[in-house]
Amino acid sequence: MTEHKKNLLTKIADRTAVVGVIGLGYVGLPLALHFARQGFRVLGYDLDPVKIGALNRGESYIKHVSGALVQELVDTGRLKGASLASDLAEADCIQICVPTPLTDKMEPDLSYLNSTAEMVAGVIRPGQLVILESTTYPGTTEELLLPRLSAGGLQVGRDFFLAFSPEREDPGNKNFTAANTPKVVGGVTEACLEVTVALYDCITQTVPVSSTRAAEMTKILENTYRSVNIALVNELKVLAHRMGIDLFEVIRAAATKPFGYTPFFPGPGLGGHCIPIDPFYLSWKAKEYDFTTRLIHLAGEINVAMPSYVVEKVAEGLNRFKKSLNGSKILMLGVAYKKDIDDDRESPGYAIMKMLKEKGAELSYNDPWIPRLRPTRKYDFTLVSVPLTPEMLAEQDAVVVVTDHSDYDFKAIVRHARLVIDTRNATANIEGAAEKVVLA
Ligand SMILES: NC(=O)c1ccc[n+]([C@@H]2O[C@H](COP(=O)([O-])OP(=O)(O)OC[C@H]3O[C@@H](n4cnc5c(N)ncnc54)[C@H](O)[C@@H]3O)[C@@H](O)[C@H]2O)c1
């Protein structure tokens, strides 16, 4: 056993290893908290000074992450925000949780990973373990990180250790956290795998695989599986409407089969930083192998078309009142991409709003988790969440349910609104809903 491996395993076992987390967003912050709770000293590094400032004051800047826990861990000295890359030299184990979005051309935007790789290459020292956690195409760890980290002469598996372990964080999920979600791990060498498994064994159950590429592919498989199955139920929903069948009832019935079926539910389209994006990382890489991922593309096409289907349903609902989209007052309920979180990235709500606005609708929105909308690269909305009062609901020509946040009182919404377009089946069991609700 090399000296570095032995030392690192000892430090991990007795919790004296310092853990560094790069990128303190939806994934990195919970991960940093989790290691700190398990007794490690954690350095969280982020380019965003607002996040580092809040962290060092003991404040959480993500709504579903407990501020009290952040405060407690900062007070005990186990968690600290770092704004200098050089601080990371102190870390024994560095975990990279930076964004992996798509460019406008739907290709992997590797700029965050590239700049992080350069930064880590600048601070790496013998004995360190570096783990990539960001979701990415198979090959990234060994093609993008390894050459940079070994450029100074350090040998992987002997002088430093490199692994990939995908993040399975499900923001807002109260049943599954980092503590009870198994972690898949692939190392560049056997030694890399061994130290990474030792580290994650301290926080959860680990699932070792034979390579970093297998671990990278595992994450893409998980998210592609979701994307394809959501596309299937989205397509069937459109057909079921035409056939006069309630697809939600059908899904619930199918889910009683004790084997071979996992329920997925239709909605207004895909959102978030994972499912709409990750499959395209694989499609892009597949081209290098002269391969077209047809099913992934088809699923993407179906899911991307859902917002226009919702807009069609809004027009159909207004038609009942002899109204057009042009000039109608429309209230959007929810812009978060799923219930009970403050993440609106890639939310189908924006695509729906953009189309409604282009057709002349007068838009407003309410989201208890997202108090204001600011212009982004893709959308140009500057709006403040309006209070959800009976008067506000009654003034609208249509109310569109995009996100079924637990705080919403759907009975009251149906009672006061003239017309509800429900993309989540949130009003299904409300008496008298049939007259006012269009399911979309
Ligand atoms: N959000 C999820 O539910 C989820 C789940 C599983 C996996 N993932 C994956 O995890 C990764 C991170 O996602 P996220 O949702 O946490 O993103 P995020 O945007 O919430 O957080 C990323 C953080 O990285 C910081 N950052 C960017 N470049 C940096 C750099 N060079 N150095 C230091 N900090 C930098 C940003 O300021 C930001 O705070 C992505 O690859 C994503 O696909 C996300």
Side-chain angles (χ1 to χ4, degrees), residues 21-30 45-49 51 61-62 82 88 96-101 111-117 119 132-136 166-171 219 223 272-275 277-278 281 337-338 341 343 345:
V21 177
I22 302 180
L24 296 172
Y26 288 94
V27 160
L29 181 64
Y45 172 80
D46 201 290
L47 290 183
D48 182 350
K51 286 186 178 140
Y61 43 82
I62 297 180
L88 288 168
I96 301 172
C97 309
V98 296
T100 44
S111 58
Y112 300 92
L113 276 185
N114 279 326
S115 60
T116 305
M119 182 189 76
L132 179 59
E133 300 256 344
S134 302
T135 309
T136 180
E167 223 358 279
R168 286 169 157 172
E169 167 77 8
D170 184 14
K219 176 68 187 180
N223 283 352
H273 188 16
C274 295
I275 303 172
I277 292 172
D278 303 347
Y281 268 67
Y337 77 88
K338 67 172 186 173
I341 61 163
D343 191 350
R345 287 176 295 180

Side-chain angles (χ1 to χ4, degrees), residues 126-439:
Q128 271 180 328
L129 162 64
V130 178
I131 308 166
L132 179 59
E133 300 256 344
S134 302
T135 309
T136 180
Y137 59 84
T140 312
T141 309
E142 294 187 21
E143 292 163 17
L144 190 150
L145 276 171
L146 181 58
R148 281 159 161 135
L149 302 190
S150 26
L154 296 183
Q155 191 186 320
V156 69
R158 186 192 67 189
D159 305 322
F160 77 101
F161 308 96
L162 180 60
F164 181 83
S165 180
E167 223 358 279
R168 286 169 157 172
E169 167 77 8
D170 184 14
N173 189 329
K174 293 194 171 67
N175 299 323
F176 291 100
T177 63
N180 60 357
T181 305
K183 207 128 174 36
V184 172
V185 179
V188 173
T189 68
E190 266 305 310
C192 297
L193 179 65
E194 198 183 326
V195 288
T196 312
V197 166
L199 179 70
Y200 286 127
D201 272 347
C202 300
I203 62 162
T204 188
Q205 188 195 335
T206 44
V207 183
V209 293
S210 63
S211 64
T212 53
R213 284 150 55 90
E216 288 157 341
M217 186 76 154
T218 304
K219 176 68 187 180
I220 302 268
L221 168 64
E222 289 167 12
N223 283 352
T224 303
Y225 170 79
R226 286 182 61 76
S227 165
V228 165
N229 279 287
I230 292 170
L232 174 67
V233 287
N234 276 337
E235 184 173 73
L236 291 184
K237 175 176 79 164
V238 177
L239 173 64
H241 271 170
R242 288 197 191 173
M243 297 174 83
I245 297 169
D246 175 356
L247 192 70
F248 284 87
E249 182 192 359
V250 171
I251 293 170
R252 276 192 298 275
T256 60
K257 185 180 178 187
F259 47 86
Y261 182 82
T262 304
F264 285 84
F265 293 93
L270 291 184
H273 188 16
C274 295
I275 303 172
I277 292 172
D278 303 347
F280 291 97
Y281 268 67
L282 185 61
S283 308
W284 176 80
K285 189 67 179 174
K287 287 189 196 138
E288 215 177 285
Y289 296 82
D290 240 347
F291 191 89
T292 310
T293 51
R294 285 180 294 159
L295 194 56
I296 292 179
H297 274 285
L298 190 56
E301 247 174 56
I302 293 171
N303 289 327
V304 163
M306 291 315 287
S308 32
Y309 173 71
V310 175
V311 171
E312 261 175 48
K313 288 283 164 188
V314 181
E316 193 181 302
L318 288 170
N319 210 30
R320 290 186 192 175
F321 295 89
K322 298 191 168 42
K323 285 193 172 258
S324 63
L325 286 169
N326 196 355
S328 283
K329 286 177 105 175
I330 299 180
L331 172 69
M332 306 285 294
L333 291 187
V335 287
Y337 77 88
K338 67 172 186 173
K339 72 194 285 186
D340 303 341
I341 61 163
D342 62 356
D343 191 350
D344 59 351
R345 287 176 295 180
E346 307 294 325
S347 171
Y350 286 117
I352 296 169
M353 285 171 73
K354 182 169 184 265
M355 282 183 259
L356 291 174
K357 193 174 162 191
E358 280 166 1
K359 291 183 187 318
E362 279 179 39
L363 291 178
S364 54
Y365 90 101
N366 170 279
D367 193 316
W369 291 79
I370 301 182
R372 62 186 65 244
L373 308 186
R374 295 192 173 88
T376 60
R377 219 167 39 159
K378 230 164 147 185
Y379 300 107
D380 184 24
F381 293 109
T382 312
L383 290 172
V384 174
S385 173
V386 295
L388 206 52
T389 60
E391 297 74 32
M392 178 66 190
L393 286 164
E395 274 171 25
Q396 305 301 315
D397 295 304
V399 173
V400 185
V401 179
V402 174
T403 319
D404 49 345
H405 288 305
S406 305
D407 280 356
Y408 285 144
D409 176 350
F410 286 105
K411 259 191 193 159
I413 289 165
V414 170
R415 189 162 60 246
H416 297 295
R418 258 179 266 171
L419 169 69
V420 178
I421 317 300
D422 179 3
T423 71
R424 300 280 185 180
N425 209 36
T427 57
N429 300 318
I430 295 172
E431 226 173 284
E435 285 161 33
K436 289 186 172 182
V437 176
V438 174
L439 292 173

